[in-house]
Amino acid sequence: MGDRAGRRQSGPRCIALVGPFQSGKTTLLEAVLERTGAIARMGATDSGTTVSDSSAESRQFKMSVEAGFATTTFMGDDYTFVDCPGSVDFLHDMRTVIPAVDAAVVICEADEKKVPALGVILRELEDRGIPRILFINKIDKASRRLRETLEVLRPASRVPLLLRQIPIWRNGIVSGFVDLALERAFVYREHAASEVIPLDGADLDREKEARFSMLETLADHDDELMETLLSDLEPPRDRVFDDLGRELAAGLVVPVLFGSALQTHGVLRLLKALRHDVPTVAAAADRLGTAPGEAVAQVMKTIHTPHGGKISVARVLAGSLAEGAVLTGPAGVAERTSGLFRLFGPGVEKMREARAGDTVALGKLDHVATGESITTGRAAPAPLVAVAAPQPVLSAALAARDRKDDVRLGLALGKLVDEDPSLAVTHDAQTGEIILAGQGEMHLRVAIARLANRYGVAVNQARPAIGYRETIRKAVTGVRGRHRKQSGGHGQFGDVVIDVRPSPRGSGFVFDDRITGGVVPKQYIPAVRDGVADALRKGPLGFPVVDLAVTLTDGSFHTVDSSDMAFQQAGRIAIQEALAACQPVLLEPVLRIQVAVPAEATARVNAIVSARRGQILGFDARDRWPGWDLVSALMPEAEIGELIVEIRSATAGVGSFTSEFDHLAELTGRDAEKIVQSRAA
């Protein structure tokens, strides 16, 4: 078959399967596992019988919700395939996997609606320098010619798409393909190897034209090949294969293959392309800057199992790891692994040793997180790559349905974030709420389902409380607060007089005193301040009070009955009376947001922002993202809510936004009245 076994680099490979939602990644993995003999027959996503979508949540929602790993053998070499979720909600799982892989197979289909999502995924791979092959799936359902499909897909890639095959059409159906590098024609056989057929007639003419186009693209980076073509000479086949592998590894071209994962068409040809053209682990180690010396591995995924504890899935980049190896992470803590395993979906196979290139599961590395590197050396390893978690875009307030599960909820949430760093958990000290934030509606639904399925913690969820505040518009002077209580023995006595005035927005709470003559002893002044500050936690409208200045001007004391407690209470009484007379007004938090969208959707996004009381500040081209805009705006926190749902609906699922607090703004009228009434209720 023209395989260059003598010149091919061997060794374990790690291949990421990536692509837009429902493009067929999981089905392609099933086809690969069947073709390599790892499984007897393909499973199906709808029936929950696939290897990689084995979690309860994947089966519940009938989609990939986390990276799945499966190792198989093809022609004597081990291949670990990582099935990455396609939904934008779970894109961070792909981000933590791809730095350590040898290459990615990008599965797509001839669907214009999915081109924006394809572009986002290809850009991630381009920025990381990951070699990539484009596999156009569902070719058996193609309604347009391959070159037309290529024109549809071309805008998604900043690197030339290189057609490696052309289809053979019979009666309007793709019945096989011509391999342009091998110059051989194959006809599909369902769930069997393709059969070689003579290459003649119109198919031969098309092959000559398509092959010359492929060679021209390769020659853009090979002067010797260009000279050969200009001399009307046929380049040696080995030279063509060498250029294909070299330019794929360098990220200069994206070879395009096609087939049907469901029918296993084109799968064997894809496997052979991976075997011959994809670089080995040494290239990945060089790309990440792995220093020679001790064994080094990169953690791609963290999994908390019900019975086996914490498992770290890692790619060995250099050296070897033995069972029970002592490994050091970035924290400088040395830990002995409790086991070394090969992964196959939910199952594991025990290993005694892992060599460079192997992708393995390591047990009980409690001080190591996803995206970190580990080594057999004693010193903490330098980070090989930085994979920052994206800012969350949707939040929910959670509470355990059964109060006795409160502690378990906290522990379970900690494990969820350890597994998926794109989730975030915070505790709002003001409201007491536990806030779970993530990358979208489905992301949160899966996390909440996982709490119930894996950790047995059922929760109620609600929209998080908005951080409303209140302030004052009017100053008042000479407000007295007196606390007197006599109950036998020592009583309680505290007497203060305060002035209250508004302060500039953002200045917070300022307290000072103008006490003369010791009418309020110095030791009690801090207690007055504490009492005032405590009362400001809840003003007349029901919210914390900010941006005001309080001055203690007068008061009196009792030599026996005065105490810190009495003056604290006097301070509370004084400020409560003063605030009611200071014309309190509601403040709502306003966030500065930046929305990243394809340029054709900018007008739609502007309308969405304006409809949510947003103030458009302007827009600019997104740096290094041709065809994308960044829309800047100010928007009340109360309107953020499900903003991401609308943005994704308007942008074919690829829009995103970031936000940060900007200022507090006065809110009056009916909207303010509703909020105050709701708070009182």
Side-chain angles (χ1 to χ4, degrees), residues 56-137:
E57 297 75 43
S58 292
R59 292 172 177 173
Q60 177 180 342
F61 297 106
K62 298 187 184 303
M63 61 183 289
S64 298
V65 298
E66 61 186 337
F69 298 78
T71 300
T72 186
T73 302
F74 178 64
M75 299 184 74
D77 285 333
D78 289 338
Y79 291 79
T80 297
F81 289 92
V82 190
D83 179 13
C84 299
S87 169
V88 67
D89 285 26
F90 306 98
L91 197 60
H92 192 65
D93 246 30
M94 180 194 81
R95 292 191 183 104
T96 61
V97 164
I98 59 174
V101 303
D102 297 314
V105 177
V106 186
I107 299 94
C108 65
E109 52 188 306
D111 186 346
E112 293 180 57
K113 295 178 182 177
K114 293 185 178 181
V115 171
L118 176 63
V120 170
I121 291 167
L122 283 172
R123 202 167 299 268
E124 293 276 354
L125 297 170
E126 291 164 5
D127 290 345
R128 292 288 181 191
I130 309 301
R132 50 213 172 272
I133 293 173
L134 195 67
F135 183 83
I136 302 176
N137 193 21

Side-chain angles (χ1 to χ4, degrees), residues 338-380:
S338 65
L340 182 65
F341 307 96
R342 189 187 308 278
L343 289 167
F344 193 81
V348 294
E349 175 189 344
K350 201 160 189 177
M351 302 171 66
R352 289 190 175 181
E353 186 179 41
R355 55 179 171 152
D358 282 332
T359 304
V360 296
L362 302 163
K364 301 269 179 85
L365 297 180
D366 293 330
H367 293 84
V368 175
T370 300
E372 294 181 343
S373 54
I374 49 180
T375 178
T376 52
R378 294 185 178 182

Side-chain angles (χ1 to χ4, degrees), residues 1-15 32 36 72-81 102-105 131 133 164 179 182 241-242 244-246 248-249 255 257 266-281:
M1 299 285 292
D3 293 342
R4 300 157 294 125
R7 305 177 64 172
R8 184 187 63 81
Q9 299 181 54
S10 61
R13 310 290 175 88
C14 185
I15 309 295
V32 165
T36 56
T72 186
T73 302
F74 178 64
M75 299 184 74
D77 285 333
D78 289 338
Y79 291 79
T80 297
F81 289 92
D102 297 314
V105 177
I133 293 173
R164 174 76 190 270
D179 188 306
L182 281 175
F241 278 112
D242 288 344
L244 280 168
R246 180 178 58 82
L248 166 67
L257 306 176
V267 173
L268 189 58
R269 183 52 43 190
L270 172 63
L271 285 168
K272 289 189 174 182
L274 295 175
R275 183 171 187 260
H276 293 290
D277 299 339
V278 167
T280 60
V281 67

Side-chain angles (χ1 to χ4, degrees), residues 261-347:
L262 192 61
Q263 306 299 328
T264 72
H265 293 162
V267 173
L268 189 58
R269 183 52 43 190
L270 172 63
L271 285 168
K272 289 189 174 182
L274 295 175
R275 183 171 187 260
H276 293 290
D277 299 339
V278 167
T280 60
V281 67
D286 288 343
R287 185 177 68 242
L288 292 173
T290 304
E294 303 289 347
V296 177
Q298 177 73 11
V299 178
M300 310 163 85
K301 177 74 178 171
T302 299
I303 303 169
H304 286 273
T305 63
H307 306 295
K310 180 177 177 178
I311 289 178
S312 301
V313 183
R315 178 94 194 278
V316 183
L317 298 170
S320 61
L321 300 180
E323 184 180 10
V326 176
L327 299 171
T328 305
V333 178
E335 299 177 283
R336 186 178 299 278
T337 61
S338 65
L340 182 65
F341 307 96
R342 189 187 308 278
L343 289 167
F344 193 81

Side-chain angles (χ1 to χ4, degrees), residues 509 511 523-537 550 552 564-565 567-573 575:
F509 165 53
F511 180 89
Q523 68 265 30
Y524 295 138
I525 292 177
V528 178
R529 185 197 185 284
D530 291 345
V532 171
D534 185 63
L536 293 179
R537 296 174 185 271
V550 177
L552 176 62
D564 282 347
M565 184 182 297
F567 272 99
Q568 279 187 21
Q569 188 61 27
R572 289 190 191 96
I573 294 170
I575 192 65

Side-chain angles (χ1 to χ4, degrees), residues 170-191:
R170 296 290 184 268
N171 301 318
I173 298 173
V174 177
S175 62
F177 65 93
V178 178
D179 188 306
L180 299 178
L182 281 175
E183 296 187 280
R184 289 186 178 178
F186 300 82
V187 65
Y188 292 133
R189 293 288 180 257
E190 190 165 345
H191 296 285

